[in-house]
Amino acid sequence: MASAVSEILSNPDGLENLEKEDICRLLLSEGGDRDLLFSCADRTRELHVGNDVHLRGIIEFSNHCVKNCFYCGLRRENDKLERYRMTIDEIIDAAREGVGAGLKTIVLQSGEDPFFTADMLARLIGRLKDEHDIAVTMSVGDRSREDYALMRDAGADRYLLKHETADPELFSRLRPGTTLDGRIRRLELLKELGFQVGPGSMVGLPWQTVDSLADDILLLKRLDVEMAGMGPFIPHAHTPLAGCTGGGVEMTLKMLAVARMMLPFTHFPATTALASIDPEGRQRALKSGANVVMPNITPVRYKKLYEIYPNKICIAEEGATECLPCITGIIRQSGRTVATDYGHGKKPVSRESSP
Ligand code: SAM
Ligand code: SF4
Ligand code: FES
């Protein structure tokens, strides 16, 4: 007799518009049903975004943060962390090395650090866009409309701002002083300004339910996003969530697989967090719907200080000379190809000057 899961998966026309009840069933699948889910997602990925894997080189340019998120090692009350800021020239040099090694997208990420004003960031983006034929992605957290507009006008193409969890109470509990509504408004604002946006969530947060995980995927669907990152929550010893159980590999992969089926053209990374809890994490994600990998090209002397969570991979290796060849090896061994284009979202970009 066919299982409920195989029945859901046997209707390819319905997969983009799954009801919440069916999403929950898929997220709870085990054994053969779960394997069927992964292979279905892999097929959807191949049909809609092909075999190419896009590389996004990430530069973590400051670990200062004014926020106090319960899950994150960069939170302002973590006084055990040695803080750093890269200079503008160091950031430009790291980007140059990454682009020289073949990267077409540079991601600039940091804690929420007001030291880097929007003017400074806009000038930095302008220099990167002048010097290289690349896409620039920003990931610097909550800023004003004016700040986002300055970054966009300077040439930034994309913005990563995870919604973290679609449960409004849990969101405010874990991110003191902020609301899920506020975050969704920011994502909509970024879209209005012409950014390709990338929300996403953590899997396995304390107090999170399967029901709210299904809501995470439905929110991505509602926002019709170009990119989305789904990674496991990994508890950090110097945060209020020390001692909590972290997210699991299987549930993270199931979230990725269902999201891929519901948003077939969206770019989904095989996250560093997943690879940090499972040495085969990236390979498994690439077989369950992922089509992006984000090599860390932050200079090694800073990498270990960007400790969002413990046991992060690739902190001892130089990005351009060690991680990049390692990652391209993983991609090729997975039977996939390394993309040579910018890897923009499927929707047209509104700025004419964007590559
Ligand atoms: N400060 C910016 C922001 O919050 O959007 C960007 C940097 S923040 C470190 C990037 C992402 O790290 C967050 O969106 C969150 O999902 C993830 N993160 C933070 N702490 C984590 C943890 N303990 N386990 C897994 N992911 C975590
Ligand atoms: Fe700061 Fe982002 Fe970490 Fe929150 S998740 S503490 S905003 S770096
Ligand atoms: Fe960084 Fe393998 S990807 S060393």
Side-chain angles (χ1 to χ4, degrees):
M1 199 178 67
S3 69
V5 166
S6 63
E7 265 171 38
I8 298 167
L9 297 176
S10 65
N11 173 16
D13 297 336
L15 293 177
E16 284 188 43
N17 294 299
L18 292 170
E19 301 286 340
K20 187 163 171 183
E21 200 183 325
D22 285 343
I23 299 175
C24 290
R25 281 210 182 98
L26 294 176
L27 293 180
L28 291 168
S29 63
E30 300 280 353
D33 281 347
R34 180 197 50 206
D35 294 345
L36 189 64
L37 166 63
F38 293 158
S39 58
C40 222
D42 197 36
R43 206 164 48 244
T44 306
R45 183 271 309 155
E46 189 174 3
L47 271 176
H48 293 83
V49 292
N51 278 327
D52 267 359
V53 177
H54 300 279
L55 297 176
R56 324 290 204 196
I58 181 163
I59 303 173
E60 299 158 336
F61 65 91
S62 163
N63 71 352
H64 288 259
C65 191
V66 295
K67 286 259 171 51
N68 223 2
C69 306
F70 274 31
Y71 41 80
C72 180
L74 307 193
R75 68 197 307 270
R76 71 164 185 268
E77 280 176 19
N78 179 10
D79 55 14
K80 304 230 166 24
L81 182 67
E82 184 190 329
R83 305 279 172 171
Y84 73 90
R85 286 187 183 104
M86 288 173 66
T87 65
I88 296 291
D89 284 341
E90 284 175 324
I91 302 171
I92 301 261
D93 286 348
R96 190 175 295 132
E97 222 183 300
V99 178
L103 294 172
K104 295 296 244 178
T105 294
I106 296 295
V107 183
L108 299 178
Q109 191 181 83
S110 69
E112 288 194 17
D113 184 2
F115 172 88
F116 286 94
T117 62
D119 278 333
M120 280 167 81
L121 292 174
R123 277 199 299 276
L124 169 60
I125 294 162
R127 279 180 68 182
L128 291 175
K129 297 288 282 197
D130 283 348
E131 192 177 328
H132 309 288
D133 187 15
I134 52 165
V136 171
T137 303
M138 300 303 292
S139 177
V140 296
D142 293 345
R143 295 264 177 158
S144 67
R145 182 190 179 94
E146 293 68 35
D147 282 12
Y148 290 146
L150 273 174
M151 293 182 222
R152 179 76 186 129
D153 288 344
D157 303 274
R158 312 184 186 130
Y159 204 102
L160 302 181
L161 189 72
K162 292 206 194 172
H163 69 273
E164 315 294 3
T165 169
D167 173 339
E169 271 176 40
L170 184 55
F171 185 100
S172 292
R173 192 165 173 184
L174 297 181
R175 296 182 51 87
T178 67
T179 64
L180 177 63
D181 269 356
R183 187 136 279 217
I184 293 173
R185 273 200 302 279
R186 279 203 164 81
L187 284 162
E188 283 166 345
L189 171 60
L190 287 161
K191 275 169 75 120
E192 267 168 46
L193 291 169
F195 282 100
Q196 299 166 43
V197 295
S201 54
M202 278 177 282
V203 178
L205 289 165
W207 307 292
Q208 197 177 39
T209 61
V210 171
D211 196 75
S212 93
L213 287 171
D215 285 336
D216 283 328
I217 300 177
L218 288 167
L219 178 60
L220 299 181
K221 180 80 187 164
R222 176 158 73 78
L223 293 170
D224 188 22
V225 294
E226 283 85 5
M227 320 167 276
M230 232 89 64
F233 157 64
I234 306 174
H236 187 296
H238 302 133
T239 66
L241 301 185
C244 288
T245 307
V249 178
E250 299 295 327
M251 185 55 94
T252 307
L253 290 172
K254 287 189 272 187
M255 283 288 286
L256 168 65
V258 179
R260 161 59 68 204
M261 292 189 310
M262 292 191 70
L263 293 109
F265 291 100
T266 296
H267 294 302
F268 290 103
T271 60
T272 304
L274 187 62
S276 297
I277 61 166
D278 178 350
E280 290 293 306
R282 274 177 301 203
Q283 289 87 332
R284 295 186 68 190
L286 287 174
K287 288 188 168 61
S288 309
N291 70 325
V292 170
V293 184
M294 299 177 69
N296 185 339
I297 58 166
T298 312
V300 164
R301 61 187 175 285
Y302 298 123
K303 269 183 172 182
K304 64 177 185 305
L305 300 176
Y306 200 81
E307 201 198 34
I308 310 171
Y309 48 76
N311 304 320
K312 203 168 157 204
I313 55 159
C314 298
I315 53 171
E317 292 85 4
E318 285 291 351
T321 54
E322 292 177 282
C323 284
L324 214 51
C326 174
I327 277 181
T328 50
I330 289 173
I331 293 170
R332 294 199 176 110
Q333 278 156 22
S334 304
R336 305 279 282 281
T337 42
V338 179
T340 50
D341 62 350
Y342 302 101
H344 283 311
K346 71 182 163 77
K347 287 186 282 181
V349 184
S350 54
R351 278 183 85 260
E352 283 176 7
S353 61
S354 287

